[in-house]
Amino acid sequence: MKGGGASKEVGEQAPLPARRESRRLPDFLQSVNLKYVKLGYHYLITHLLTLLLIPLMVVVLLEAAQTDPDDLRQLWRHLQYNLISVLACSSFFVVGATVYIMRRPRPVYLVDYSCYRPPVKLEVPFQVFMSHSQLCGAFNESALEFQRRILERSGLGQETYLPAALHDLPPRPSMATAREEAEQVMFGALDNLFKSTGVKPKDVGILVVNCSLFNPTPSLSAMIVNRYKLRGNIKSFNLGGMGCSAGVISLDLARDLLQVHRATYAVVVSTENITQNWYFGNRKSMLIPNCLFRVGAAAVLLSNRSADRRRAKYKLLHVVRTHHGADDRAFRCVYQEQDENSKVGVSLSKDLMAIAGEALKINITTLGPLVLPISEQLLFFATLVAKKLFNGKVKPYIPDFKLAFDHFCIHAGGRAVIDELEKNLQLRPEHVEASRMTLHRFGNTSSSSIWYELAYTEAKGRMRKGHRVWQIAFGSGFKCNSAVWQALRNVKATPDNSPWQDCIHIYPVEIIDGFPTQPSEHQQ
C-alpha cells in the first residue's frame, strides 16, 4: 500500500530534518529559475521568425519611403514594355496556386459526437459483482479473491455498467444477447448523435464501425445500415480484433476516405461487446478483463464540407499509428485463447506495461516533430548530439508535451496505464484527471473511452477555441495510436448529449489506492 510506503519514508527522514531542509531550498529555487528560463527560451524560439521579420519590414518601408517618385514611374514603364514577362509570371502563379489548392489535404471536421449512457439498472457495484461471480459457480475461491483485489485497486467506481445478460443468474452469454447489447449501445449513441446534429442518416456517405471481440454475420456496420436505412452506395467498413486503439484506426480510415469523397459525412462508431466475451474460468491473467471492461460506445460525426466548419467542434490535425506486432512478445501480450479447461478469454501478459512503454516511445518520436514547438525540438536535437559526442554520458532530454497540448485523453485502460503515462510524460494530475474520472465512472469502455474523456473536459467547461487535444490509445497487436484535434470554438457540453450530465458536479473525486475518498452520486 502506498500509505505504508509513505510512512516508512517519513520515518527514515525524521532523524535528519535540518539537513533535508537545507538541501531542498536551493534545489527549489534553481528549478523555479530554470522554469522561467525555459519559458523565455520557448517564447523566443517560437516567435523567432516574427522577431526577425519585424526589423526587415521596417528597413524595407524606410527604403520605400526614400525612393524617388521618378524611379517608381520608370519601373511602371518598364513593366508595360515587358507585358509577356508579366503574363508569364502571372500564369505561373495562377497554375501553381491551383495545383496547391487541388492537392492539399481536405480539412476534416468533427461536427459532434455522442457517448452512450447505459440505464441505471445495468450498474454493477463491487458487492453485486462479487456476489454474482460467486453465485454463478464458475470461479474457485482463489479466483474470487483475485477478482476482489483487482476491483479494489482498479480505480473503478461503484456505478459502472455490465450488460443485462450478465446481471442474470445464471448469466446468459449467447449470440442473441450479444446482438442485443450491440444494438442497445450503438443505436443509443447514434440516435443521440443524429438528434443533436440534425443530420439525416441518408446524408452519411461513409460508415466505419470497430468492435474487437464480437463480429457477427451480417456485420455490425450492416446492422446500422439496416436500422437507419442508409443509402445504397455508402462506403461501410467493419473493423474487428484491433483492440482498444481501434477507435483511432477508424478515425484514420474515415479521414483517408474523406480525402477521396467530396462534400460528405462520415460516421465512426466505436464499441466493445462484453456479453459473449466474459471469461468463466480461473486463470488469473484472463480474469483481469472481467474486472476492468464495462459497457460503452461512442458515435462520431466527421465532415469535409467547408460549410460545416462554422458549427464543428474540432478540426483533425494529425493521426499517428504505431504497430509493434513484428515483435513476438508484443504480439502475444494481449491474446485471446482457451485455458486448460477450454474456457475462452483474453490473456494479459505481465510484460504489458513494458511493451506499452516501447510502443509509446515509437509513437511520440513520430508525433513529436509534428506537434512540438521548435524550441523543444532544438533542445531534444542538441541533447541527442551531445549524447553522441560524450559517449552517452548526457542524460536524454524528454520533450515537454505540455507545451504542445492543452488537454490529454489517455485511454482509460486501467489505473496502471494512466499512472505510467503520467510518469513517463511528466504530466500533472490535472492532465490525467479526465482519464482517471472516466475510469472511475464508466470503467474501461475500450476504444470509446477517449470520447468519454473528451466529454468530461467539455462538461467541466475547460475547452477553449484554439486548444489542442491529444487522444492516445493502446491496443492488442501491439499498437499505440494518437489523434490530435484543435478546438474551433469554445466548446460547452450539451446537457442532453453528455454522459456526464447528471454527475459532473461531484467530480473530480480523489482516488487513493483504488478507493474514492468522496462518496459517489447515489451515496450522497
Side-chain angles (χ1 to χ4, degrees):
M1 297 286 283
K2 289 186 176 180
S7 301
K8 185 177 180 180
E9 289 179 4
V10 172
E12 292 174 352
Q13 293 173 2
L16 298 171
R19 186 177 179 184
R20 288 288 183 183
E21 288 297 323
S22 63
R23 292 181 61 182
R24 282 182 178 177
L25 185 59
D27 291 341
F28 173 76
L29 292 177
Q30 184 181 10
S31 66
V32 172
N33 290 334
L34 286 175
K35 172 186 174 182
Y36 288 109
V37 169
K38 185 176 180 180
L39 288 175
Y41 167 75
H42 165 65
Y43 182 85
L44 174 65
I45 297 299
T46 303
H47 300 88
L48 183 62
L49 183 61
T50 304
L51 296 174
L52 292 176
L53 284 177
I54 290 176
L56 180 61
M57 292 176 61
V58 171
V59 171
V60 171
L61 290 174
L62 289 175
E63 287 294 328
Q66 296 174 2
T67 303
D68 191 345
D70 291 335
D71 293 337
L72 295 176
R73 283 192 291 269
Q74 185 178 355
L75 178 62
W76 173 247
R77 285 195 297 269
H78 177 73
L79 291 175
Q80 285 180 319
Y81 290 120
N82 289 273
L83 183 60
I84 296 177
S85 300
V86 173
L87 289 176
C89 291
S90 300
S91 300
F92 179 78
F93 175 77
V94 170
V95 171
T98 302
V99 170
Y100 170 75
I101 292 173
M102 294 296 291
R103 292 181 63 86
R104 69 175 179 174
R106 292 188 178 92
V108 174
Y109 303 112
L110 193 161
V111 179
D112 205 352
Y113 64 97
S114 175
C115 298
Y116 176 68
R117 172 75 177 267
V120 176
K121 65 181 181 180
L122 296 183
E123 286 182 357
V124 53
F126 290 176
Q127 184 178 357
V128 173
F129 181 98
M130 292 306 303
S131 174
H132 277 58
S133 296
Q134 185 175 12
L135 292 174
C136 77
F139 308 106
N140 59 32
E141 287 299 322
S142 177
L144 289 170
E145 177 61 19
F146 178 77
Q147 290 181 85
R148 184 189 64 78
R149 293 200 310 269
I150 292 295
L151 279 175
E152 291 175 351
R153 301 171 185 176
S154 65
L156 272 69
Q158 301 286 346
E159 298 170 347
T160 58
Y161 306 92
L162 284 177
L166 296 180
H167 281 265
D168 293 338
L169 283 175
R172 297 181 298 112
S174 66
M175 178 63 74
T177 54
R179 282 184 183 275
E180 290 175 5
E181 180 193 348
E183 292 174 353
Q184 183 181 25
V185 300
M186 293 192 307
F187 298 162
L190 285 167
D191 287 347
N192 210 7
L193 181 68
F194 288 134
K195 179 182 177 181
S196 65
T197 60
V199 172
K200 298 178 181 178
K202 287 284 187 182
D203 294 333
V204 176
I206 298 166
L207 173 65
V208 183
V209 180
N210 67 267
C211 180
S212 288
L213 296 174
F214 182 60
N215 294 283
T217 300
S219 65
L220 299 180
S221 59
M223 290 165 59
I224 294 174
V225 171
N226 177 260
R227 165 66 179 249
Y228 295 97
K229 310 304 177 187
L230 302 183
R231 61 199 198 194
N233 64 343
I234 189 169
K235 311 300 179 186
S236 65
F237 301 85
N238 199 99
L239 307 182
M242 305 197 79
C244 299
S245 67
V248 179
I249 297 174
S250 298
L251 284 176
D252 192 30
L253 176 58
R255 179 190 64 168
D256 290 345
L257 292 168
L258 287 171
Q259 300 304 311
V260 179
H261 303 279
R262 298 186 177 184
T264 190
Y265 289 110
V267 168
V268 172
V269 179
S270 297
T271 187
E272 190 52 86
N273 193 277
I274 309 295
T275 298
Q276 237 189 354
N277 296 286
W278 198 255
Y279 175 60
F280 291 97
N282 294 302
R283 186 187 293 182
K284 292 180 180 179
S285 63
M286 300 170 76
L287 283 168
I288 298 175
N290 285 10
C291 301
L292 298 180
F293 282 86
R294 295 294 184 265
V295 171
V300 183
L301 180 66
L302 304 174
S303 173
N304 59 7
R305 297 153 46 106
S306 56
D308 285 320
R309 192 189 197 296
R310 295 181 179 179
R311 66 168 181 156
K313 288 184 173 182
Y314 305 95
K315 178 182 177 180
L316 182 59
L317 300 182
H318 307 288
V319 175
V320 174
R321 293 167 56 184
T322 301
H323 205 308
H324 209 41
D327 181 88
D328 292 340
R329 192 169 58 105
F331 175 74
R332 294 187 63 90
C333 72
V334 180
Y335 203 79
Q336 187 178 28
E337 59 184 344
Q338 291 180 318
D339 66 10
E340 55 278 2
N341 296 315
S342 299
K343 302 292 185 181
V344 177
V346 176
S347 176
L348 302 183
S349 167
K350 294 180 180 179
D351 298 328
L352 178 60
M353 292 312 303
I355 293 168
E358 294 171 6
L360 173 66
K361 181 180 178 180
I362 299 172
N363 190 268
I364 64 177
T365 300
T366 306
L367 180 66
L370 299 175
V371 298
L372 286 170
I374 190 65
S375 59
E376 287 297 292
Q377 296 188 46
L378 288 176
L379 283 172
F380 179 77
F381 178 74
T383 306
L384 187 64
V385 171
K387 188 176 181 180
K388 292 290 184 182
L389 293 176
F390 296 100
N391 298 324
K393 295 181 180 180
V394 178
K395 186 178 179 181
Y397 179 73
I398 300 176
D400 188 357
F401 279 90
K402 297 187 293 294
L403 296 174
F405 303 111
D406 302 283
H407 306 284
F408 297 80
C409 295
I410 299 168
H411 166 54
R415 186 181 172 199
V417 174
I418 301 172
D419 288 345
E420 203 63 28
L421 263 72
E422 180 183 10
K423 176 183 176 182
N424 289 338
L425 296 177
Q426 299 178 353
L427 303 179
R428 295 190 294 271
E430 58 266 28
H431 292 134
V432 295
E433 179 184 317
S435 300
R436 292 194 189 281
M437 298 307 106
T438 295
L439 181 65
H440 178 267
R441 181 61 187 86
F442 296 100
N444 180 353
T445 60
S446 189
S447 56
S448 64
S449 68
I450 54 178
W451 298 107
Y452 287 87
E453 293 161 15
L454 187 60
Y456 178 89
T457 304
E458 292 179 3
K460 282 295 184 181
R462 298 170 182 172
M463 192 65 67
R464 296 289 181 265
K465 182 178 180 180
H467 279 188
R468 293 207 291 182
V469 183
W470 183 14
Q471 292 180 320
I472 182 167
F474 301 91
S476 58
F478 189 84
K479 298 176 286 291
C480 176
N481 299 322
S482 296
V484 180
W485 301 90
Q486 183 175 39
L488 298 177
R489 54 185 172 88
N490 295 345
V491 181
K492 294 183 179 179
T494 306
D496 296 334
N497 196 35
S498 174
W500 300 91
Q501 57 181 324
D502 61 348
C503 61
I504 191 63
H505 61 284
I506 68 170
Y507 284 97
V509 295
E510 186 179 359
I511 300 175
I512 301 177
D513 288 334
F515 293 99
T517 58
Q518 298 179 19
S520 65
E521 175 187 359
H522 291 173
Q523 292 171 327
Q524 285 186 316

